[in-house]
Amino acid sequence: VQLQASGGGLVQAGDSLRLSCAVSGRTASIFGVGWFRQDPGKDREFVAAISWAGSSTFYADSVKGRFTIFRDSAKTTVYLQMNSLKPEDTAKYYCGADRRYRKAIDYEWWGQGTQVTVSS
């Protein structure tokens, strides 16, 4: 399984940004895809996850109501729509995929990450 994250950038507080995670390879092995973020010197943090069937999602409390995770019908890309961005959302964002759909940070496959910077 290969994942390619993109869409990061520099925005102002209150702006929106959409991240994309292109998924390819043995996708039949995937049951869940998630977004995570990490600041230098800090632990990786769970942000959101979606079941590969697309029928179920869950979010970290810190982003609930502001971020939305969704998948295209072709099951090739998972998106993270981020609205009302705050400076504390600044981090490198990673997408991950796993054989299980779960709220965890030890997913099996990972993309390379995309930087999101929110200025105040």
Side-chain angles (χ1 to χ4, degrees), residues 23-43:
V23 184
S24 60
R26 291 183 174 269
T27 58
S29 300
I30 299 173
F31 274 79
V33 175
W35 282 97
F36 307 79
R37 62 190 183 189
Q38 188 169 21
D39 265 336
K42 294 185 179 179
D43 292 335

PDB file of all heavy atoms in Angstrom, residues 23-43:
ATOM      1  N   VAL A  23      -4.248   7.000  -2.415  1.00  0.00           N
ATOM      2  CA  VAL A  23      -4.000   5.641  -1.938  1.00  0.00           C
ATOM      3  C   VAL A  23      -3.905   4.707  -3.137  1.00  0.00           C
ATOM      4  O   VAL A  23      -4.749   4.732  -4.027  1.00  0.00           O
ATOM      5  CB  VAL A  23      -5.139   5.182  -1.001  1.00  0.00           C
ATOM      6  CG1 VAL A  23      -4.825   3.810  -0.424  1.00  0.00           C
ATOM      7  CG2 VAL A  23      -5.359   6.196   0.110  1.00  0.00           C
ATOM      8  N   SER A  24      -2.860   3.869  -3.153  1.00  0.00           N
ATOM      9  CA  SER A  24      -2.685   2.936  -4.259  1.00  0.00           C
ATOM     10  C   SER A  24      -2.064   1.648  -3.739  1.00  0.00           C
ATOM     11  O   SER A  24      -1.674   1.540  -2.576  1.00  0.00           O
ATOM     12  CB  SER A  24      -1.808   3.563  -5.344  1.00  0.00           C
ATOM     13  OG  SER A  24      -0.525   3.883  -4.831  1.00  0.00           O
ATOM     14  N   GLY A  25      -1.960   0.652  -4.615  1.00  0.00           N
ATOM     15  CA  GLY A  25      -1.369  -0.623  -4.242  1.00  0.00           C
ATOM     16  C   GLY A  25      -2.431  -1.628  -3.807  1.00  0.00           C
ATOM     17  O   GLY A  25      -3.533  -1.637  -4.330  1.00  0.00           O
ATOM     18  N   ARG A  26      -2.103  -2.433  -2.798  1.00  0.00           N
ATOM     19  CA  ARG A  26      -3.001  -3.500  -2.332  1.00  0.00           C
ATOM     20  C   ARG A  26      -4.093  -2.930  -1.423  1.00  0.00           C
ATOM     21  O   ARG A  26      -4.146  -3.221  -0.220  1.00  0.00           O
ATOM     22  CB  ARG A  26      -2.218  -4.565  -1.602  1.00  0.00           C
ATOM     23  CG  ARG A  26      -1.291  -5.375  -2.510  1.00  0.00           C
ATOM     24  CD  ARG A  26      -0.593  -6.486  -1.739  1.00  0.00           C
ATOM     25  NE  ARG A  26       0.189  -7.353  -2.597  1.00  0.00           N
ATOM     26  CZ  ARG A  26      -0.297  -8.456  -3.149  1.00  0.00           C
ATOM     27  NH1 ARG A  26      -1.532  -8.821  -2.932  1.00  0.00           N
ATOM     28  NH2 ARG A  26       0.477  -9.200  -3.911  1.00  0.00           N
ATOM     29  N   THR A  27      -4.969  -2.149  -2.001  1.00  0.00           N
ATOM     30  CA  THR A  27      -5.988  -1.464  -1.195  1.00  0.00           C
ATOM     31  C   THR A  27      -7.018  -2.424  -0.616  1.00  0.00           C
ATOM     32  O   THR A  27      -7.741  -2.065   0.312  1.00  0.00           O
ATOM     33  CB  THR A  27      -6.690  -0.382  -2.018  1.00  0.00           C
ATOM     34  OG1 THR A  27      -7.277  -0.977  -3.171  1.00  0.00           O
ATOM     35  CG2 THR A  27      -5.699   0.692  -2.451  1.00  0.00           C
ATOM     36  N   ALA A  28      -7.091  -3.643  -1.142  1.00  0.00           N
ATOM     37  CA  ALA A  28      -8.013  -4.633  -0.581  1.00  0.00           C
ATOM     38  C   ALA A  28      -7.627  -4.986   0.858  1.00  0.00           C
ATOM     39  O   ALA A  28      -8.448  -5.522   1.610  1.00  0.00           O
ATOM     40  CB  ALA A  28      -8.024  -5.887  -1.441  1.00  0.00           C
ATOM     41  N   SER A  29      -6.398  -4.673   1.249  1.00  0.00           N
ATOM     42  CA  SER A  29      -5.947  -4.954   2.615  1.00  0.00           C
ATOM     43  C   SER A  29      -6.372  -3.884   3.613  1.00  0.00           C
ATOM     44  O   SER A  29      -6.233  -4.061   4.819  1.00  0.00           O
ATOM     45  CB  SER A  29      -4.414  -5.048   2.644  1.00  0.00           C
ATOM     46  OG  SER A  29      -3.949  -6.075   1.802  1.00  0.00           O
ATOM     47  N   ILE A  30      -6.882  -2.776   3.110  1.00  0.00           N
ATOM     48  CA  ILE A  30      -7.168  -1.613   3.952  1.00  0.00           C
ATOM     49  C   ILE A  30      -8.575  -1.682   4.534  1.00  0.00           C
ATOM     50  O   ILE A  30      -9.537  -1.930   3.820  1.00  0.00           O
ATOM     51  CB  ILE A  30      -7.013  -0.308   3.151  1.00  0.00           C
ATOM     52  CG1 ILE A  30      -5.579  -0.160   2.645  1.00  0.00           C
ATOM     53  CG2 ILE A  30      -7.406   0.891   4.007  1.00  0.00           C
ATOM     54  CD1 ILE A  30      -5.397   1.009   1.702  1.00  0.00           C
ATOM     55  N   PHE A  31      -8.682  -1.416   5.831  1.00  0.00           N
ATOM     56  CA  PHE A  31      -9.984  -1.268   6.470  1.00  0.00           C
ATOM     57  C   PHE A  31     -10.205   0.140   6.999  1.00  0.00           C
ATOM     58  O   PHE A  31     -11.330   0.565   7.204  1.00  0.00           O
ATOM     59  CB  PHE A  31     -10.163  -2.278   7.602  1.00  0.00           C
ATOM     60  CG  PHE A  31     -10.670  -3.595   7.122  1.00  0.00           C
ATOM     61  CD1 PHE A  31      -9.816  -4.502   6.521  1.00  0.00           C
ATOM     62  CD2 PHE A  31     -12.007  -3.917   7.234  1.00  0.00           C
ATOM     63  CE1 PHE A  31     -10.292  -5.718   6.049  1.00  0.00           C
ATOM     64  CE2 PHE A  31     -12.493  -5.126   6.764  1.00  0.00           C
ATOM     65  CZ  PHE A  31     -11.632  -6.027   6.169  1.00  0.00           C
ATOM     66  N   GLY A  32      -9.107   0.868   7.237  1.00  0.00           N
ATOM     67  CA  GLY A  32      -9.245   2.224   7.744  1.00  0.00           C
ATOM     68  C   GLY A  32      -8.133   3.116   7.227  1.00  0.00           C
ATOM     69  O   GLY A  32      -7.008   2.665   6.997  1.00  0.00           O
ATOM     70  N   VAL A  33      -8.464   4.389   7.016  1.00  0.00           N
ATOM     71  CA  VAL A  33      -7.485   5.404   6.628  1.00  0.00           C
ATOM     72  C   VAL A  33      -7.632   6.571   7.599  1.00  0.00           C
ATOM     73  O   VAL A  33      -8.756   6.975   7.921  1.00  0.00           O
ATOM     74  CB  VAL A  33      -7.690   5.880   5.183  1.00  0.00           C
ATOM     75  CG1 VAL A  33      -6.727   7.024   4.852  1.00  0.00           C
ATOM     76  CG2 VAL A  33      -7.481   4.723   4.216  1.00  0.00           C
ATOM     77  N   GLY A  34      -6.533   7.085   8.059  1.00  0.00           N
ATOM     78  CA  GLY A  34      -6.582   8.172   9.038  1.00  0.00           C
ATOM     79  C   GLY A  34      -5.646   9.309   8.695  1.00  0.00           C
ATOM     80  O   GLY A  34      -4.728   9.150   7.883  1.00  0.00           O
ATOM     81  N   TRP A  35      -5.927  10.433   9.326  1.00  0.00           N
ATOM     82  CA  TRP A  35      -5.032  11.582   9.261  1.00  0.00           C
ATOM     83  C   TRP A  35      -4.460  11.812  10.655  1.00  0.00           C
ATOM     84  O   TRP A  35      -5.180  11.671  11.669  1.00  0.00           O
ATOM     85  CB  TRP A  35      -5.774  12.824   8.798  1.00  0.00           C
ATOM     86  CG  TRP A  35      -6.005  12.869   7.328  1.00  0.00           C
ATOM     87  CD1 TRP A  35      -7.136  12.503   6.663  1.00  0.00           C
ATOM     88  CD2 TRP A  35      -5.080  13.302   6.328  1.00  0.00           C
ATOM     89  NE1 TRP A  35      -6.974  12.676   5.319  1.00  0.00           N
ATOM     90  CE2 TRP A  35      -5.716  13.177   5.078  1.00  0.00           C
ATOM     91  CE3 TRP A  35      -3.771  13.795   6.354  1.00  0.00           C
ATOM     92  CZ2 TRP A  35      -5.098  13.511   3.877  1.00  0.00           C
ATOM     93  CZ3 TRP A  35      -3.154  14.131   5.168  1.00  0.00           C
ATOM     94  CH2 TRP A  35      -3.812  13.990   3.949  1.00  0.00           C
ATOM     95  N   PHE A  36      -3.211  12.195  10.682  1.00  0.00           N
ATOM     96  CA  PHE A  36      -2.484  12.392  11.928  1.00  0.00           C
ATOM     97  C   PHE A  36      -1.645  13.647  11.764  1.00  0.00           C
ATOM     98  O   PHE A  36      -1.422  14.109  10.638  1.00  0.00           O
ATOM     99  CB  PHE A  36      -1.574  11.196  12.200  1.00  0.00           C
ATOM    100  CG  PHE A  36      -2.295   9.875  12.154  1.00  0.00           C
ATOM    101  CD1 PHE A  36      -2.593   9.278  10.948  1.00  0.00           C
ATOM    102  CD2 PHE A  36      -2.699   9.255  13.320  1.00  0.00           C
ATOM    103  CE1 PHE A  36      -3.288   8.078  10.889  1.00  0.00           C
ATOM    104  CE2 PHE A  36      -3.384   8.050  13.282  1.00  0.00           C
ATOM    105  CZ  PHE A  36      -3.676   7.474  12.060  1.00  0.00           C
ATOM    106  N   ARG A  37      -1.182  14.197  12.865  1.00  0.00           N
ATOM    107  CA  ARG A  37      -0.296  15.361  12.765  1.00  0.00           C
ATOM    108  C   ARG A  37       0.784  15.280  13.835  1.00  0.00           C
ATOM    109  O   ARG A  37       0.601  14.635  14.879  1.00  0.00           O
ATOM    110  CB  ARG A  37      -1.083  16.661  12.883  1.00  0.00           C
ATOM    111  CG  ARG A  37      -1.808  16.860  14.204  1.00  0.00           C
ATOM    112  CD  ARG A  37      -2.742  18.066  14.111  1.00  0.00           C
ATOM    113  NE  ARG A  37      -3.421  18.350  15.366  1.00  0.00           N
ATOM    114  CZ  ARG A  37      -4.400  19.243  15.490  1.00  0.00           C
ATOM    115  NH1 ARG A  37      -4.827  19.945  14.433  1.00  0.00           N
ATOM    116  NH2 ARG A  37      -4.964  19.446  16.672  1.00  0.00           N
ATOM    117  N   GLN A  38       1.872  15.941  13.551  1.00  0.00           N
ATOM    118  CA  GLN A  38       3.000  15.890  14.471  1.00  0.00           C
ATOM    119  C   GLN A  38       3.816  17.165  14.372  1.00  0.00           C
ATOM    120  O   GLN A  38       4.164  17.613  13.280  1.00  0.00           O
ATOM    121  CB  GLN A  38       3.884  14.683  14.167  1.00  0.00           C
ATOM    122  CG  GLN A  38       4.981  14.438  15.179  1.00  0.00           C
ATOM    123  CD  GLN A  38       5.650  13.095  14.964  1.00  0.00           C
ATOM    124  OE1 GLN A  38       5.582  12.515  13.888  1.00  0.00           O
ATOM    125  NE2 GLN A  38       6.307  12.589  16.010  1.00  0.00           N
ATOM    126  N   ASP A  39       4.106  17.743  15.528  1.00  0.00           N
ATOM    127  CA  ASP A  39       5.016  18.862  15.635  1.00  0.00           C
ATOM    128  C   ASP A  39       6.390  18.328  15.998  1.00  0.00           C
ATOM    129  O   ASP A  39       6.492  17.297  16.676  1.00  0.00           O
ATOM    130  CB  ASP A  39       4.557  19.828  16.742  1.00  0.00           C
ATOM    131  CG  ASP A  39       3.724  20.964  16.206  1.00  0.00           C
ATOM    132  OD1 ASP A  39       3.870  21.272  15.002  1.00  0.00           O
ATOM    133  OD2 ASP A  39       2.967  21.563  16.981  1.00  0.00           O
ATOM    134  N   PRO A  40       7.457  19.000  15.603  1.00  0.00           N
ATOM    135  CA  PRO A  40       8.801  18.554  15.991  1.00  0.00           C
ATOM    136  C   PRO A  40       8.912  18.436  17.505  1.00  0.00           C
ATOM    137  O   PRO A  40       8.480  19.326  18.243  1.00  0.00           O
ATOM    138  CB  PRO A  40       9.710  19.654  15.445  1.00  0.00           C
ATOM    139  CG  PRO A  40       8.961  20.231  14.305  1.00  0.00           C
ATOM    140  CD  PRO A  40       7.515  20.169  14.717  1.00  0.00           C
ATOM    141  N   GLY A  41       9.436  17.326  17.981  1.00  0.00           N
ATOM    142  CA  GLY A  41       9.636  17.138  19.408  1.00  0.00           C
ATOM    143  C   GLY A  41       8.404  16.659  20.151  1.00  0.00           C
ATOM    144  O   GLY A  41       8.449  16.479  21.369  1.00  0.00           O
ATOM    145  N   LYS A  42       7.303  16.455  19.425  1.00  0.00           N
ATOM    146  CA  LYS A  42       6.077  15.985  20.065  1.00  0.00           C
ATOM    147  C   LYS A  42       5.664  14.653  19.481  1.00  0.00           C
ATOM    148  O   LYS A  42       6.111  14.250  18.402  1.00  0.00           O
ATOM    149  CB  LYS A  42       4.959  17.015  19.869  1.00  0.00           C
ATOM    150  CG  LYS A  42       5.209  18.346  20.577  1.00  0.00           C
ATOM    151  CD  LYS A  42       3.996  19.246  20.426  1.00  0.00           C
ATOM    152  CE  LYS A  42       4.212  20.572  21.159  1.00  0.00           C
ATOM    153  NZ  LYS A  42       3.032  21.473  20.999  1.00  0.00           N
ATOM    154  N   ASP A  43       4.776  13.959  20.196  1.00  0.00           N
ATOM    155  CA  ASP A  43       4.262  12.688  19.708  1.00  0.00           C
ATOM    156  C   ASP A  43       3.288  12.915  18.564  1.00  0.00           C
ATOM    157  O   ASP A  43       2.650  13.966  18.460  1.00  0.00           O
ATOM    158  CB  ASP A  43       3.541  11.939  20.832  1.00  0.00           C
ATOM    159  CG  ASP A  43       4.497  11.467  21.909  1.00  0.00           C
ATOM    160  OD1 ASP A  43       5.694  11.288  21.602  1.00  0.00           O
ATOM    161  OD2 ASP A  43       4.029  11.258  23.048  1.00  0.00           O
TER     162      ASP A  43
END
